[in-house]
Amino acid sequence: MSVGLLFDTTRCIGCGACTAACKEQNKLPLPIDPTLTAYTWTVVQERHGVNVRSLCMHCLEPTCVSVCPVGALVKTARGPVVYHAAKCIGCRYCIMACPFGVPKYQWDRAIPIVGKCILCRERVEAGMPTACASACPTGATLFGEREALIREAHSRIQSGPALYVDHIFGLEEVGGTSVLMLSSVPFEG
């Protein structure tokens, strides 16, 4: 079974606890950047009056993995798309291929690597939720089996149709993603 995240914009208060937890878990340096960088792997941004998380979507069929000529990016059986810096040759094909513009390159280093969310692979393999889901004080970010998250998303839409756009982002986009999103405004915005 594949795991993932469900992010609900209606519950996000924009506190940034998810970003801080990601920085701590992955030993990423401060500061917390306002956009995704090789050192900030998730951010909360306000768009059209709604707080939205940006992070690797952990696609079910990730183009970053398919274009990597050396296997530095791998889709694990549990869902995370992980990066192996020791294999990376710095071609940056993954950066060009990602439909969400997620992988970022460390342009400031002599021997740079790519930085992106790895869905807390070690925590997931140990049976724990991701750091961002554990830190979320409102339940805006939930961790779990993808199928259970889909059921939860449908349940939320059905129980609060006035709160949500009747669409689960990530269910079908780019072939499906392990990160699913609910919103009160259309996703095109």
Side-chain angles (χ1 to χ4, degrees):
M1 295 292 286
S2 179
V3 297
L5 297 173
L6 173 60
F7 175 71
D8 186 338
T9 65
T10 69
R11 296 185 180 196
C12 181
I13 59 173
C15 69
C18 53
T19 304
C22 177
K23 286 267 190 183
E24 184 177 333
Q25 173 66 34
N26 295 291
K27 298 174 180 49
L28 298 170
L30 292 173
I32 294 174
D33 299 300
T35 60
L36 294 180
T37 69
Y39 305 105
T40 299
W41 297 353
T42 187
V43 294
V44 177
Q45 300 167 316
E46 188 273 322
R47 296 184 194 156
H48 305 287
V50 175
N51 293 314
V52 179
R53 275 190 70 193
S54 294
L55 70 158
C56 177
M57 298 297 285
H58 298 277
C59 301
L60 300 182
E61 298 292 332
T63 56
C64 61
V65 171
S66 69
V67 300
C68 183
V70 294
L73 286 158
V74 177
K75 173 77 173 179
T76 66
R78 292 286 286 153
V81 175
V82 296
Y83 172 72
H84 301 285
K87 292 183 178 181
C88 184
I89 59 173
C91 69
R92 300 179 301 280
Y93 288 165
C94 59
I95 293 169
M96 293 180 281
C98 177
F100 299 105
V102 170
K104 303 296 181 193
Y105 203 60
Q106 293 177 337
W107 293 102
D108 61 331
R109 291 193 165 184
I111 302 175
I113 60 173
V114 171
K116 63 169 275 324
C117 166
I118 56 170
L119 204 63
C120 293
R121 181 183 182 187
E122 293 89 20
R123 290 176 63 100
V124 168
E125 288 176 354
M128 298 167 53
T130 59
C132 62
S134 293
C136 184
T138 64
T141 299
L142 295 179
F143 171 81
E145 296 290 337
R146 186 173 186 270
E147 292 305 315
L149 295 172
I150 292 169
R151 287 191 300 275
E152 175 65 20
H154 281 301
S155 175
R156 288 185 186 188
I157 291 170
Q158 288 174 342
S159 65
L163 288 176
Y164 298 103
V165 171
D166 189 11
H167 180 71
I168 303 168
F169 188 88
L171 199 55
E172 296 178 1
E173 285 77 12
V174 302
T177 62
S178 295
V179 176
L180 306 166
M181 295 189 180
L182 293 176
S183 179
S184 58
V185 299
F187 288 98
E188 298 79 37

